[in-house]
Amino acid sequence: MQQTLLQIKTFLQSDSFKKYAKRFGFFVLGLIGILLIACGALSIYFNQNKAEIIAKVNHKINENINGKFHITDFHYKFLTGFPNFTLALKEVEIKDNQWQVHKHTLLKAKEIEARLNIWSLLQKEINIHKILINDAEIYIYKAENGYSNVNIFKPKKKKPETNTEKPETTIDEVNLNNVHVIIDNHLGHKLFDFDVSNLDSKVDYDDENWQTNLYLKTKINSLAFNTVHGSFAKEKMLEGNFDISYAEASQKIDIKTQKLKIGSDDFDIAAFFNIGKNNSLFGINIGTDILWRNASNLLSGNISSKLNQFDLKKPIKVNCDIRGDLNAEGDPKIVVQADIRNNELTIPDGLFTNCSFKGIFTNNFKPQNGFNDPNSAIVLKNFKGDYANIPLRIAQATIWSCYIYWDINFKTV
């Protein structure tokens, strides 16, 4: 071992090693110098062509919107995002043509970074590789007459198959930091409000279709499918990765996520949203193992007030299915199913031990009566448990409005 260390020491002190080390040092310094020269050249290029670059960026955005795009200031960020050319836009606002009527600004950002492809830029073209939005507010508004401020975006013109023009600019990466997002749907009485700490998405395109794996960390201020009844998961933190895809033919977004953290619990979620002009149906299916009270507190107030009359000691397997129309008034269809095994059930009048049953909540107990509070019910199936050491069996019990229906069998020991 000592002989090996001595050989290494001798080699490091040799003239040949010092010669190669010096050459390597010059090589590294040369790379750094080239990098600095390249960035400096980009800075000079930007300063000399600043007006033209901004005009092209403005034109690129304004040719795709029906509204106003405004930038207070802009500058080149030295070395940031190299080898891309990073342009920082300051105090950015996007407003639609109906802003004077509804007063909701679609986008207001302190800073937006646009990372442009250098080679395209040198050829007098704008190709945006990545967008970073920092310290911003996004407000998506839909009026009762169906008008939305996202109508600011012009529909894409379908190109003939023989068209040989260059493909439209796409954005490969999107990153949000400290962004407040509101989706305010007055037509359907729905309000979604999020404080996004971080969103990071890399998008793969296939013609008009796309897919992404998206990381999101956000606080849920409101997830209200009916603003009359309040929000789901209100004031909860949400963090996880989402697999999201969009199909142009069906104008449908599909979302899947596993082990999504909401509050202190993990959830598996599959969802779809139709975003076509004549189809706004959606569906969300949520599965988890969770404590009863934790699950109840994630639901809107009109549902949790009913479920909080009860409690279970151990975690239970729960599935929640929500289906509706984003543009329809009233509640969506909500079905919550729970599988309880060997648990302890607390009710207003006492405690059941060794308790097992299947529990179902629905807001559509009588199908002809619609999805609403008066038509909500809790159904217990194959209930068995001990009450004050007395075995109790219930084939089915239903709590609906002011009525309770049951089929009970008592079995003595």
Side-chain angles (χ1 to χ4, degrees):
M1 182 64 180
Q2 291 181 349
Q3 183 67 27
T4 301
L5 292 175
L6 181 61
Q7 290 176 350
I8 294 173
K9 182 178 179 180
T10 302
F11 173 73
L12 294 177
Q13 293 176 343
S14 65
D15 292 337
S16 59
F17 174 77
K18 291 179 180 179
K19 180 175 66 175
Y20 287 117
K22 184 181 294 185
R23 289 178 180 177
F24 180 74
F26 286 138
F27 175 73
V28 172
L29 290 174
L31 284 179
I32 295 174
I34 292 171
L35 178 63
L36 292 174
I37 291 170
C39 291
L42 284 174
S43 180
I44 294 170
Y45 175 85
F46 171 75
N47 289 326
Q48 291 180 345
N49 297 273
K50 187 174 183 179
E52 183 181 357
I53 293 172
I54 290 304
K56 285 181 175 290
V57 171
N58 274 319
H59 176 72
K60 201 71 182 179
I61 295 174
N62 284 313
E63 71 179 1
N64 290 303
I65 66 173
N66 293 308
K68 294 180 180 179
F69 176 77
H70 174 73
I71 306 172
T72 300
D73 193 15
F74 56 90
H75 63 269
Y76 165 63
K77 282 198 169 182
F78 187 69
L79 289 178
T80 302
F82 188 85
N84 292 298
F85 182 91
T86 299
L87 187 64
L89 313 179
K90 297 292 186 179
E91 304 297 338
V92 180
E93 284 192 357
I94 300 178
K95 297 178 180 179
D96 65 303
N97 287 333
Q98 297 295 317
W99 184 87
Q100 290 293 342
V101 177
H102 56 73
K103 303 294 185 182
H104 296 303
T105 302
L106 179 61
L107 172 65
K108 186 175 183 179
K110 288 186 177 180
E111 180 183 76
I112 296 179
E113 287 186 14
R115 295 186 180 174
L116 313 180
N117 183 282
I118 290 178
W119 311 119
S120 297
L121 190 63
L122 294 176
Q123 297 173 33
K124 306 296 182 178
E125 298 175 3
I126 296 294
N127 190 340
I128 302 174
H129 170 66
K130 185 174 183 178
I131 288 288
L132 297 92
I133 302 177
N134 304 315
D135 301 313
E137 295 180 3
I138 298 173
Y139 200 115
I140 299 174
Y141 168 79
K142 176 168 280 190
E144 293 179 355
N145 62 6
Y147 173 81
S148 174
N149 64 347
V150 296
N151 293 346
I152 192 174
F153 300 107
K154 296 178 181 178
K156 292 182 180 180
K157 296 179 181 179
K158 290 190 176 180
K159 298 179 181 179
E161 294 183 3
T162 57
N163 196 312
T164 57
E165 291 182 7
K166 294 181 181 180
E168 293 183 7
T169 297
T170 57
I171 300 173
D172 300 323
E173 293 185 44
V174 177
N175 185 274
L176 307 184
N177 295 291
N178 191 26
V179 177
H180 187 196
V181 180
I182 297 175
I183 304 175
D184 187 6
N185 186 334
H186 286 225
L187 177 62
H189 299 291
K190 295 169 176 60
L191 178 63
F192 307 138
D193 185 333
F194 307 96
D195 281 322
V196 178
S197 299
N198 180 247
L199 180 150
D200 194 8
S201 171
K202 294 184 178 181
V203 186
D204 294 321
Y205 294 91
D206 180 13
D207 197 14
E208 297 295 326
N209 307 316
W210 54 262
Q211 61 182 13
T212 180
N213 180 266
L214 179 149
Y215 167 78
L216 175 65
K217 182 177 181 181
T218 185
K219 179 184 177 184
I220 302 172
N221 297 319
S222 177
L223 190 61
F225 293 95
N226 185 341
T227 51
V228 173
H229 295 144
S231 170
F232 288 74
K234 188 174 180 63
E235 303 300 324
K236 299 294 183 182
M237 289 298 301
L238 179 151
E239 184 175 7
N241 290 285
F242 299 79
D243 290 319
I244 304 175
S245 62
Y246 171 71
E248 173 66 20
S250 58
Q251 293 188 301
K252 179 182 177 186
I253 296 175
D254 288 294
I255 303 173
K256 291 184 179 179
T257 179
Q258 293 184 325
K259 298 188 181 302
L260 176 70
K261 184 74 71 175
I262 303 178
S264 58
D265 297 289
D266 293 334
F267 297 83
D268 295 336
I269 299 176
F272 70 87
F273 297 88
N274 289 291
I275 59 173
K277 184 174 291 187
N278 300 315
N279 183 2
S280 54
L281 298 177
F282 73 91
I284 305 173
N285 187 272
I286 306 168
T288 185
D289 291 337
I290 191 173
L291 288 169
W292 176 278
R293 193 54 58 86
N294 286 8
S296 174
N297 290 338
L298 289 174
L299 302 174
S300 57
N302 61 313
I303 301 173
S304 61
S305 61
K306 296 178 176 63
L307 299 183
N308 282 342
Q309 300 176 62
F310 312 95
D311 197 12
L312 288 158
K313 183 177 181 180
K314 302 176 185 176
I316 57 176
K317 188 175 293 294
V318 178
N319 182 274
C320 177
D321 196 67
I322 305 172
R323 294 180 182 269
D325 187 331
L326 288 171
N327 289 332
E329 293 188 32
D331 294 340
K333 180 181 179 181
I334 302 171
V335 178
V336 182
Q337 301 186 64
D339 191 18
I340 290 87
R341 293 286 180 266
N342 302 316
N343 218 315
E344 291 187 5
L345 171 63
T346 301
I347 63 173
D349 296 327
L351 176 70
F352 285 94
T353 57
N354 302 318
C355 184
S356 298
F357 63 94
K358 182 176 182 180
I360 302 172
F361 169 86
T362 176
N363 67 343
N364 187 223
F365 182 62
K366 299 286 185 180
Q368 67 275 16
N369 292 344
F371 313 125
N372 49 63
D373 271 358
N375 199 28
S376 297
I378 298 173
V379 180
L380 306 181
K381 292 184 176 181
N382 301 318
F383 182 96
K384 63 178 182 179
D386 298 337
Y387 186 82
N389 295 321
I390 301 175
L392 176 65
R393 303 292 183 268
I394 304 175
Q396 181 166 312
T398 302
I399 305 172
W400 172 54
S401 188
C402 299
Y403 304 99
I404 301 178
Y405 307 94
W406 63 77
D407 179 8
I408 303 177
N409 292 310
F410 289 95
K411 293 185 178 180
T412 57
V413 179

